């Protein structure tokens, strides 16, 4: 009777996990003994602050215990996986599918009993353990204590539905620094699980073998409302809806304009009251019925070519995540007042321009920072509400400027903490939010947005940073465009010159004239702008005859040499 080779691999890794557990226990024992000496005053030098050192020992113990919990989770996952495989090996080869199913159900119930958890929880744990153990890099990180079981579970959940190649690509992107396109920013174990899930899910949405459009259609068919009674006479009502509909409902229930000195309710209390009033159809004579319809600003990051309908790659709805390109086009084209278009550079996925309606620079910068950061930049914070505050990383009175590299999003709680404790932010950049250093000197890397280059349509070649990576896909005899051309330069030397990389000598001047007339994408707001600076909200749209004419023209390869 043989068991699959996978058991041997898992068992080998499990041995290393057990050794790591013993090492962690030895470290804890050493810290305990040091703490005992400090309490007794034995061997404590005159320059040692006993309370400070005992405080640091607690933090060090928490770090070790966190690694120990991850290592123990790896041992549990290995044991659950091997128990299932041993049980399957004991099942007669000629057993029916029904018998094998019941065998697995029995294993799940045994696990539930041993761990004192529900059958549903045990079933999920068995399934997640099996997937984690089938991904060596994930299991290795868990065994080393480099990330928690929650992080490993994220990979298990998000790899469900992917074929083996897709799952391997997901793992390589986040766990292999030598992969062709590794994830930027903090390592998986340095992100809180919910933020790690958001990054993994964004990658999964872009690389799933089935298009997001098709999966979204299935999700729409499965839309529903759920009701869950809770304690103290309360209950939860939840809606499973398309992302744009749910976002619009949330924004309408967020009536910031109703708050004031005569309104005792908080915004958190107002949202359910307004939603209940709208759902129940309260009359105009009631207080809730008189709540004004709020205005809310929601950013929709749309790749340039997806906006024009040339590609169908996902857009990003601020506060939600990837949405189908068709939904994004509908939001920015059908007069949705509270949705603001953000065009994405086709070269590197960076933001190009924010659609605006009579907003001057102060609001422009706030939206730019909100788009760059995505949420409160404080380590581990998941607050992405539009109520977050734009803060000077270096205070104005200490010489800080009002520029993108010195601004970042902070939720009110962490904004207060920054000014009342020694949490120190790093400088930000145009593309990346700041990292942070704690009062004890622990540094937390910034959470990078990890954008991907836009999909280029067949008739236009990529330019700039992505050109070299796509040269192999170009037609024979083509050459890469001039990377020295400024990306936002106007006229024939800028926008026109970049797109003109796909054309050859054109005797009638059709391409030159058409591309020279195209408007240039504006640069991000300058570091020290003037108050009169206003960006024209009108940009090229899908119905612009110049774009229609441009995209209808076939690409003409540039002769080599």
């Amino acid at each position: 009777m043989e068991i699959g080779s996978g058991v041997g691999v898992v068992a080998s890794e499990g041995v290393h996990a057990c050794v790591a557990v013993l090492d962690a226990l030895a470290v804890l024992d050493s810290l305990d003994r040091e703490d005992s000496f400090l309490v007794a005053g034995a061997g404590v030098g005159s320059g040692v602050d006993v309370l400070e050192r005992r405080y640091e020992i607690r933090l060090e113990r928490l770090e070790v215990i966190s690694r120990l919990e991850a290592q123990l989770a790896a041992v549990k996952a290995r044991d659950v996986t091997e128990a299932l495989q041993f049980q399957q090996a004991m099942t007669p080869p000629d057993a029916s599918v029904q018998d094998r199913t019941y065998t697995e159900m029995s294993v799940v119930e045994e696990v539930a009993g041993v761990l004192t958890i529900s059958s549903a929880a045990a079933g999920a744990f068995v399934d997640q353990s099996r997937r984690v153990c089938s991904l060596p890099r994930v299991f290795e990180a868990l065994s080393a204590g480099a990330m928690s079981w929650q992080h490993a579970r994220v990979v298990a959940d998000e790899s469900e539905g992917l074929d083996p190649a897709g799952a391997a690509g997901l793992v390589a992107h986040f766990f292999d620094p030598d992969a062709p396109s590794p994830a930027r920013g903090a390592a998986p174990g340095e992100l809180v699980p919910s933020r790690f899930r958001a990054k993994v899910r964004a990658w999964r949405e872009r690389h799933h073998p089935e298009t997001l459009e098709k999966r979204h259609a299935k999700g729409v068919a499965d839309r529903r409302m759920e009701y869950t009674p809770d304690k103290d006479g309360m209950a939860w009502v939840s809606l499973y809806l398309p992302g744009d509909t749910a976002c619009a409902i949330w924004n309408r229930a967020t009536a910031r304009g109703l708050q004031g000195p005569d309104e005792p309710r908080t915004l958190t209390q107002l949202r359910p009251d307004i939603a209940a009033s709208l759902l129940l159809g309260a009359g105009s004579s009631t207080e809730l019925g008189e709540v004004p319809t709020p205005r809310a600003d929601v950013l929709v990051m749309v790749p340039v070519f997806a906006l024009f309908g040339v590609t169908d790659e996902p857009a990003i709805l601020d506060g939600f995540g990837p949405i189908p390109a068709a939904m994004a086009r509908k939001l920015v084209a059908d007069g949705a007042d509270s949705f603001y278009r953000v065009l994405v550079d086709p070269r590197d996925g960076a933001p190009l321009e924010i659609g605006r309606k009579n907003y001057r620079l102060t609001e422009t910068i706030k939206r730019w920072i909100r788009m760059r950061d995505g949420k409160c930049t404080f380590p581990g914070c998941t607050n992405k509400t539009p109520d977050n505050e734009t803060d000077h990383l270096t205070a104005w009175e200490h010489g800080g400027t009002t520029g993108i590299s010195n601004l970042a999003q902070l939720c009110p709680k962490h904004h207060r903490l920054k000014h009342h404790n020694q949490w120190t932010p790093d400088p930000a950049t145009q593309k990346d939010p700041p990292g942070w250093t704690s009062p004890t000197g622990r540094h937390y890397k910034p959470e990078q947005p990890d954008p991907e280059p836009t999909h280029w349509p067949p008739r236009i070649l990529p330019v700039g940073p992505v050109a070299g990576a796509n040269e192999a896909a170009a037609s024979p005899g083509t050459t890469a465009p001039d990377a020295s051309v400024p990306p936002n330069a106007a006229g024939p030397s800028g926008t026109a010159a970049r797109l003109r990389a796909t054309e050859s000598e054109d005797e009638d001047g059709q391409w030159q004239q058409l591309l020279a007339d195209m408007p240039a994408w504006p640069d991000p707001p300058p570091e020290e702008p003037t108050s009169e600076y206003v960006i024209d909200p009108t940009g090229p749209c899908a119905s612009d005859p110049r774009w229609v004419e441009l995209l209808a023209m076939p690409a003409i390869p540039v002769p080599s040499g």
Side-chain angles (χ1 to χ4, degrees):
M1 184 181 307
E2 293 185 0
I3 302 176
S5 59
V7 174
V9 175
V10 175
S12 176
E13 293 290 342
V15 170
H16 294 297
C18 290
V19 173
V21 168
L22 294 176
D23 290 340
L25 291 174
V27 173
L28 286 176
D29 181 66
S30 175
L31 290 172
D32 283 342
R33 283 187 280 108
E34 181 182 358
D35 189 63
S36 299
F37 291 147
L38 290 171
V39 172
V44 179
S46 58
V48 176
D49 187 331
V50 174
L51 290 178
E52 178 67 20
R53 179 53 191 156
R54 295 192 69 194
Y55 167 72
E56 291 176 355
I57 286 175
R58 266 52 183 186
L59 295 179
E60 291 174 13
R61 282 170 53 87
L62 287 174
E63 286 185 337
V64 175
I65 291 170
S66 178
R67 291 198 305 270
L68 180 59
E69 288 174 339
Q71 292 157 353
L72 289 173
V75 175
K76 286 175 63 177
R78 177 208 63 185
D79 287 343
V80 165
T81 302
E82 289 183 350
L84 180 62
Q85 291 175 326
F86 286 137
Q87 190 64 268
Q88 290 172 340
M90 291 186 289
T91 303
D94 57 347
S96 65
V97 174
Q98 186 180 40
D99 288 342
R100 294 184 181 276
T101 301
Y102 279 116
T103 296
E104 185 166 336
M105 289 175 59
S106 178
V107 174
V108 170
E109 294 298 335
E110 293 264 63
V111 170
V114 169
L115 300 180
T116 320
I117 57 178
S118 69
S119 296
F125 179 61
V126 169
D127 191 49
Q128 291 160 352
S129 298
R130 188 160 40 183
R131 283 202 294 273
V132 167
C133 291
S134 70
L135 303 170
R137 286 188 180 274
V138 178
F139 188 82
E140 178 182 351
L142 184 64
S143 299
M147 66 177 185
S148 69
W149 171 251
Q150 289 92 328
H151 293 84
R153 190 174 62 188
V154 166
V155 180
D157 293 342
E158 298 300 329
S159 62
E160 185 178 7
L162 297 178
D163 55 24
L170 185 154
V171 171
H173 180 71
F174 290 99
F175 292 88
D176 185 4
D178 298 323
S181 178
R184 298 171 60 236
E190 296 173 348
L191 297 170
V192 294
S194 62
R195 297 307 307 159
F196 178 52
R197 184 181 292 277
K199 295 189 72 171
V200 174
R201 181 164 295 172
W203 189 96
R204 175 185 180 272
E205 297 290 0
R206 294 185 66 102
H207 297 84
H208 199 285
E210 191 176 34
T211 66
L212 179 57
E213 298 281 351
K214 292 182 179 179
R215 288 179 282 127
H216 175 68
K218 294 177 182 176
V220 170
D222 195 37
R223 62 191 182 278
R224 60 189 180 273
M225 175 185 284
E226 295 179 352
Y227 167 72
T228 307
D230 203 353
K231 61 182 180 296
D232 301 329
M234 304 298 287
W236 295 93
V237 174
S238 57
L239 302 172
Y240 184 63
L241 295 169
D244 57 340
T245 304
C247 195
I249 291 173
W250 176 263
N251 293 333
R252 189 171 183 188
T254 304
R256 298 181 188 87
L258 189 63
Q259 290 186 293
D262 298 327
E263 174 54 65
R265 292 171 293 179
T266 66
L267 187 60
T268 301
Q269 294 169 333
L270 279 168
R271 285 194 183 103
D273 290 350
I274 295 171
S277 175
L278 295 172
L279 285 172
L280 298 175
S284 59
S285 61
T286 64
E287 180 184 359
L288 286 178
E290 297 174 357
V291 174
T293 301
R295 276 291 303 272
D297 299 337
V298 180
L299 303 176
V300 185
M301 298 184 67
V302 191
V304 171
F305 295 119
L307 179 64
F308 298 147
V310 183
T311 64
D312 284 323
E313 58 183 312
I316 301 296
L317 181 63
D318 182 41
F320 177 77
I323 61 173
M327 181 189 294
R329 288 193 290 267
K330 180 176 182 295
L331 290 175
V332 300
D334 291 353
D337 289 345
S338 59
F339 290 87
Y340 287 80
R341 178 197 67 200
V342 179
L343 290 182
V344 176
D345 194 322
R347 296 165 301 157
D348 57 6
L352 276 173
E353 165 262 287
I354 306 177
R356 299 168 179 85
K357 298 179 183 178
N358 301 322
Y359 278 84
R360 290 191 177 270
L361 186 64
T362 54
E363 288 298 323
T364 297
I365 284 186
K366 288 180 181 179
R367 288 203 186 102
W368 195 277
I369 298 301
R370 174 176 151 199
M371 175 181 59
R372 182 197 67 188
D373 296 347
K375 66 174 190 67
C376 172
T377 59
F378 198 84
C381 185
T382 61
N383 192 333
K384 58 179 66 176
T385 173
D387 289 332
N388 283 346
E389 299 160 358
T390 303
D391 179 56
H392 287 77
L393 299 175
T394 299
W396 178 269
E397 58 268 25
H398 296 155
T401 61
T402 305
I404 290 177
S405 62
N406 192 46
L407 295 172
Q409 264 197 93
L410 281 175
C411 66
K413 179 180 73 173
H414 290 128
H415 194 174
R416 291 193 300 269
L417 178 63
K418 171 180 177 286
H419 290 290
H420 291 86
N421 209 311
Q422 297 177 0
W423 282 88
T424 307
D426 297 337
T429 68
Q430 179 176 312
K431 294 183 180 180
D432 300 327
W436 288 80
T437 301
S438 74
T440 58
R442 289 173 171 79
H443 184 261
Y444 299 87
K445 295 179 181 178
E447 184 176 337
Q448 307 283 8
D450 199 23
E452 295 192 8
T454 294
H455 299 170
W456 284 72
R459 59 180 65 88
I460 300 178
L461 293 179
V463 295
V466 299
N470 290 277
E471 282 184 3
S475 302
T478 61
T479 58
D482 184 4
S484 65
V485 178
N488 287 316
S493 64
T495 304
R498 296 202 309 278
L499 291 177
R500 208 162 54 234
T502 62
E503 51 111 352
S504 65
E505 294 294 332
D506 187 6
E507 295 180 359
D508 61 6
Q510 181 185 17
W511 270 84
Q512 283 84 347
Q513 185 60 45
L514 177 65
L515 293 170
D517 291 341
M518 290 299 299
W521 307 116
D523 283 320
E527 289 287 312
E528 293 293 339
T530 64
S531 59
E532 292 78 22
Y533 182 88
V534 179
I535 293 180
D536 184 1
T538 60
C541 61
S543 61
D544 192 314
R546 294 169 297 176
W547 270 107
V548 174
E549 186 179 359
L550 169 65
L551 297 176
M553 296 179 66
I556 306 174
V558 179
S560 60

